[in-house]
């Protein structure tokens, strides 16, 4: 049971490039989340999903897209990367009937 | 919109002291409150989760309390150790739509 896994661990992008951050969980959780954490700040919600095929925006969705084709995977797409997207990205999941969220180790992204 | 404030932003104390970290929130309509620990450059480790109907939770040297009427939670750490040095994050859950985090308290325990 690997829990929540994220790839890559680190990435440097040039302005205008695009990439997909991968997130997978093997706990059969139906709820999944993407957060970003800027230096010295708490985490902010980007997008979330309550099940395959269902996604919704969080507090800071601009510049990102998500899809949820399976229960296990919840990729986050960055189109036209900007320096403001330099951050650490965390994926999390939980069961619908539970309270506790489980977090992945994060992806550290730098856009230059 | 829920706002979460953590005080102090940073704290440095000698080893062995008992200490209290504070978290305040503006909207008492919460499902749960979760305390996390984050080590530098690392992910989040869940420490304690208090459901809306509960008043406190304990795990080892940690005790977290929740007072919804006053919009406050505290994390009490007993007999602090250098290994407790980390950033502590408070987060509130409103249901399916994710957690709202405070900015954290950066804790240093001096040996």
């Amino acid at each position: 049971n690997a829990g929540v896994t994220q790839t890559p661990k680190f990435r440097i992008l040039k302005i205008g490039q695009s990439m997909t951050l991968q997130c997978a969980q093997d706990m059969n959780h139906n709820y999944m989340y993407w957060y970003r954490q800027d230096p010295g700040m708490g985490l902010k919600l980007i997008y979330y999903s309550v099940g395959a095929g269902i996604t919704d925006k969080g507090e800071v969705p601009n510049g990102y897209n998500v899809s949820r084709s399976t229960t296990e995977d919840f990729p986050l797409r960055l189109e036209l990367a900007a320096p403001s997207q330099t951050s650490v990205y965390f994926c999390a999941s939980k069961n619908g009937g539970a309270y506790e969220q489980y977090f992945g180790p994060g992806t550290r992204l730098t856009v230059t | 919109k829920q706002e979460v404030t953590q005080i102090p932003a940073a704290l440095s104390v000698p080893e062995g002291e008992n200490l209290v970290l504070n978290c305040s929130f503006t909207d008492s309509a919460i499902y749960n409150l979760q305390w996390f620990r984050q080590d530098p450059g690392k992910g989040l480790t869940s420490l304690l989760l208090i459901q809306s109907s509960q008043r406190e939770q304990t795990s080892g040297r940690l005790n977290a309390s929740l007072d919804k009427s006053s919009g406050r939670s505290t994390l009490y750490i007993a007999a602090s150790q250098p290994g407790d040095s980390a950033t502590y994050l408070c987060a509130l859950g409103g249901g399916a739509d994710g957690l709202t985090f405070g900015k954290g308290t950066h804790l240093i325990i001096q040996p």
Side-chain angles (χ1 to χ4, degrees):
Chain A
N1 190 330
V4 180
T5 57
Q6 294 183 239
T7 55
K9 286 186 171 54
F10 304 94
R11 184 71 185 269
I12 299 174
L13 280 182
K14 294 190 186 306
I15 295 171
Q17 287 185 323
S18 61
M19 76 165 293
T20 299
L21 282 66
Q22 301 291 345
C23 174
Q25 52 90 12
D26 60 1
M27 298 174 282
N28 201 32
H29 288 170
N30 47 348
Y31 290 11
M32 295 187 74
Y33 304 88
W34 275 107
Y35 298 88
R36 61 176 285 174
Q37 184 179 33
D38 298 328
M41 304 292 284
L43 282 69
K44 293 188 177 181
L45 184 67
I46 306 172
Y47 270 96
Y48 67 100
S49 169
V50 299
I54 305 170
T55 62
D56 208 345
K57 296 178 181 178
E59 184 182 0
V60 289
N62 291 344
Y64 307 94
N65 280 300
V66 293
S67 60
R68 183 98 181 268
S69 56
T70 67
T71 299
E72 295 77 19
D73 300 297
F74 190 38
L76 178 71
R77 178 83 176 162
L78 278 72
E79 305 282 3
L80 297 174
S84 61
Q85 294 177 305
T86 293
S87 192
V88 181
Y89 291 83
F90 290 100
C91 180
S93 72
K94 78 178 183 95
N95 256 331
Y99 293 105
E100 187 168 1
Q101 289 190 21
Y102 296 84
F103 282 77
T107 293
R108 189 173 297 272
L109 176 67
T110 301
V111 182
T112 61
Chain B
K1 179 189 168 193
Q2 180 74 271
E3 301 282 344
V4 181
T5 303
Q6 291 189 245
I7 293 173
L11 182 63
S12 181
V13 300
E15 179 179 4
E17 283 201 4
N18 303 324
L19 56 98
V20 174
L21 307 183
N22 296 292
C23 172
S24 61
F25 49 94
T26 54
D27 186 351
S28 62
I30 63 173
Y31 282 78
N32 62 79
L33 185 146
Q34 209 166 345
W35 281 95
F36 293 90
R37 170 189 172 131
Q38 185 175 31
D39 293 288
K42 303 292 186 184
L44 278 70
T45 300
S46 180
L47 298 173
L48 290 164
L49 182 146
I50 310 176
Q51 295 178 29
S52 177
S53 58
Q54 298 174 327
R55 298 280 296 187
E56 66 177 344
Q57 284 287 337
T58 298
S59 176
R61 295 182 293 108
L62 305 179
N63 175 274
S65 68
L66 173 62
D67 183 346
K68 288 199 305 177
S69 62
S70 65
R72 292 176 185 273
S73 175
T74 60
L75 178 66
Y76 175 82
I77 302 177
S80 58
Q81 303 171 357
D84 294 330
S85 298
T87 296
Y88 290 80
L89 294 166
C90 167
L92 275 73
D97 56 347
L99 294 168
T100 302
F101 283 81
K103 294 182 180 180
T105 293
H106 181 56
L107 176 65
I108 296 175
I109 308 299
Q110 306 153 12

